[in-house]
PDB file of all heavy atoms in Angstrom:
ATOM      1  N   ILE A 402      29.437   4.875   6.299  1.00 97.00           N
ATOM      2  CA  ILE A 402      28.681   4.539   7.494  1.00 97.00           C
ATOM      3  C   ILE A 402      28.721   5.655   8.442  1.00 97.00           C
ATOM      4  O   ILE A 402      29.847   6.104   8.784  1.00 97.00           O
ATOM      5  CB  ILE A 402      29.245   3.206   8.245  1.00 97.00           C
ATOM      6  CG1 ILE A 402      29.283   2.006   7.335  1.00 97.00           C
ATOM      7  CG2 ILE A 402      28.516   2.900   9.516  1.00 97.00           C
ATOM      8  CD1 ILE A 402      30.071   0.896   7.881  1.00 97.00           C
ATOM      9  N   TYR A 403      27.638   6.162   8.824  1.00 98.00           N
ATOM     10  CA  TYR A 403      27.661   7.297   9.766  1.00 98.00           C
ATOM     11  C   TYR A 403      26.799   7.100  10.932  1.00 98.00           C
ATOM     12  O   TYR A 403      25.764   6.353  10.958  1.00 98.00           O
ATOM     13  CB  TYR A 403      27.149   8.639   8.976  1.00 98.00           C
ATOM     14  CG  TYR A 403      25.697   8.631   8.748  1.00 98.00           C
ATOM     15  CD1 TYR A 403      24.727   9.096   9.583  1.00 98.00           C
ATOM     16  CD2 TYR A 403      25.215   8.143   7.472  1.00 98.00           C
ATOM     17  CE1 TYR A 403      23.410   9.179   9.237  1.00 98.00           C
ATOM     18  CE2 TYR A 403      23.865   8.125   7.088  1.00 98.00           C
ATOM     19  CZ  TYR A 403      23.003   8.724   8.045  1.00 98.00           C
ATOM     20  OH  TYR A 403      21.634   8.606   7.739  1.00 98.00           O
ATOM     21  N   ILE A 404      27.126   7.796  12.070  1.00 98.00           N
ATOM     22  CA  ILE A 404      26.401   7.730  13.280  1.00 98.00           C
ATOM     23  C   ILE A 404      25.953   9.124  13.654  1.00 98.00           C
ATOM     24  O   ILE A 404      26.763   9.907  13.817  1.00 98.00           O
ATOM     25  CB  ILE A 404      27.167   7.075  14.503  1.00 98.00           C
ATOM     26  CG1 ILE A 404      27.741   5.748  14.048  1.00 98.00           C
ATOM     27  CG2 ILE A 404      26.369   6.905  15.766  1.00 98.00           C
ATOM     28  CD1 ILE A 404      28.820   5.266  15.014  1.00 98.00           C
ATOM     29  N   THR A 405      24.594   9.336  13.705  1.00 98.00           N
ATOM     30  CA  THR A 405      24.104  10.683  14.221  1.00 98.00           C
ATOM     31  C   THR A 405      23.078  10.356  15.303  1.00 98.00           C
ATOM     32  O   THR A 405      21.820  10.492  15.086  1.00 98.00           O
ATOM     33  CB  THR A 405      23.439  11.483  13.065  1.00 98.00           C
ATOM     34  OG1 THR A 405      22.506  10.508  12.370  1.00 98.00           O
ATOM     35  CG2 THR A 405      24.485  11.841  12.059  1.00 98.00           C
ATOM     36  N   PRO A 406      23.504   9.916  16.513  1.00 98.00           N
ATOM     37  CA  PRO A 406      22.472   9.517  17.437  1.00 98.00           C
ATOM     38  C   PRO A 406      21.801  10.648  18.226  1.00 98.00           C
ATOM     39  O   PRO A 406      22.205  11.785  18.149  1.00 98.00           O
ATOM     40  CB  PRO A 406      23.475   8.801  18.475  1.00 98.00           C
ATOM     41  CG  PRO A 406      24.767   9.507  18.386  1.00 98.00           C
ATOM     42  CD  PRO A 406      24.907   9.898  16.939  1.00 98.00           C
ATOM     43  N   PRO A 407      20.790  10.258  18.992  1.00 98.00           N
ATOM     44  CA  PRO A 407      20.235  11.363  19.896  1.00 98.00           C
ATOM     45  C   PRO A 407      21.364  11.730  20.914  1.00 98.00           C
ATOM     46  O   PRO A 407      22.172  10.962  21.212  1.00 98.00           O
ATOM     47  CB  PRO A 407      19.124  10.505  20.700  1.00 98.00           C
ATOM     48  CG  PRO A 407      18.801   9.390  19.786  1.00 98.00           C
ATOM     49  CD  PRO A 407      20.036   9.022  19.099  1.00 98.00           C
ATOM     50  N   TYR A 408      21.293  13.058  21.188  1.00 98.00           N
ATOM     51  CA  TYR A 408      22.321  13.627  22.023  1.00 98.00           C
ATOM     52  C   TYR A 408      22.357  12.981  23.473  1.00 98.00           C
ATOM     53  O   TYR A 408      23.329  13.013  24.168  1.00 98.00           O
ATOM     54  CB  TYR A 408      22.183  15.140  22.178  1.00 98.00           C
ATOM     55  CG  TYR A 408      22.155  15.840  20.931  1.00 98.00           C
ATOM     56  CD1 TYR A 408      21.508  17.092  20.772  1.00 98.00           C
ATOM     57  CD2 TYR A 408      22.667  15.385  19.725  1.00 98.00           C
ATOM     58  CE1 TYR A 408      21.447  17.889  19.681  1.00 98.00           C
ATOM     59  CE2 TYR A 408      22.598  16.007  18.537  1.00 98.00           C
ATOM     60  CZ  TYR A 408      21.946  17.350  18.526  1.00 98.00           C
ATOM     61  OH  TYR A 408      21.896  18.009  17.347  1.00 98.00           O
ATOM     62  N   VAL A 409      21.229  12.401  23.834  1.00 98.00           N
ATOM     63  CA  VAL A 409      21.107  11.809  25.244  1.00 98.00           C
ATOM     64  C   VAL A 409      21.421  10.340  25.169  1.00 98.00           C
ATOM     65  O   VAL A 409      21.121   9.569  26.204  1.00 98.00           O
ATOM     66  CB  VAL A 409      19.639  12.065  25.651  1.00 98.00           C
ATOM     67  CG1 VAL A 409      19.437  13.601  25.885  1.00 98.00           C
ATOM     68  CG2 VAL A 409      18.587  11.408  24.777  1.00 98.00           C
ATOM     69  N   ILE A 410      21.954   9.795  24.193  1.00 98.00           N
ATOM     70  CA  ILE A 410      22.140   8.293  24.013  1.00 98.00           C
ATOM     71  C   ILE A 410      23.065   7.833  25.214  1.00 98.00           C
ATOM     72  O   ILE A 410      24.003   8.575  25.632  1.00 98.00           O
ATOM     73  CB  ILE A 410      22.713   7.980  22.713  1.00 98.00           C
ATOM     74  CG1 ILE A 410      22.836   6.448  22.533  1.00 98.00           C
ATOM     75  CG2 ILE A 410      24.185   8.580  22.444  1.00 98.00           C
ATOM     76  CD1 ILE A 410      23.197   5.982  21.091  1.00 98.00           C
ATOM     77  N   SER A 411      22.762   6.662  25.684  1.00 98.00           N
ATOM     78  CA  SER A 411      23.630   6.146  26.734  1.00 98.00           C
ATOM     79  C   SER A 411      24.893   5.545  26.329  1.00 98.00           C
ATOM     80  O   SER A 411      25.046   5.226  25.153  1.00 98.00           O
ATOM     81  CB  SER A 411      22.827   5.031  27.516  1.00 98.00           C
ATOM     82  OG  SER A 411      22.706   3.874  26.640  1.00 98.00           O
ATOM     83  N   ASP A 412      25.858   5.517  27.205  1.00 98.00           N
ATOM     84  CA  ASP A 412      27.169   4.780  26.814  1.00 98.00           C
ATOM     85  C   ASP A 412      26.978   3.377  26.422  1.00 98.00           C
ATOM     86  O   ASP A 412      27.754   2.917  25.524  1.00 98.00           O
ATOM     87  CB  ASP A 412      28.142   4.923  28.035  1.00 98.00           C
ATOM     88  CG  ASP A 412      28.562   6.299  28.364  1.00 98.00           C
ATOM     89  OD1 ASP A 412      28.261   7.258  27.442  1.00 98.00           O
ATOM     90  OD2 ASP A 412      29.220   6.685  29.330  1.00 98.00           O
TER      91      ASP A 412
END
Side-chain angles (χ1 to χ4, degrees):
I402 301 170
Y403 70 89
I404 307 168
T405 51
Y408 305 156
V409 297
I410 190 170
S411 68
D412 290 350

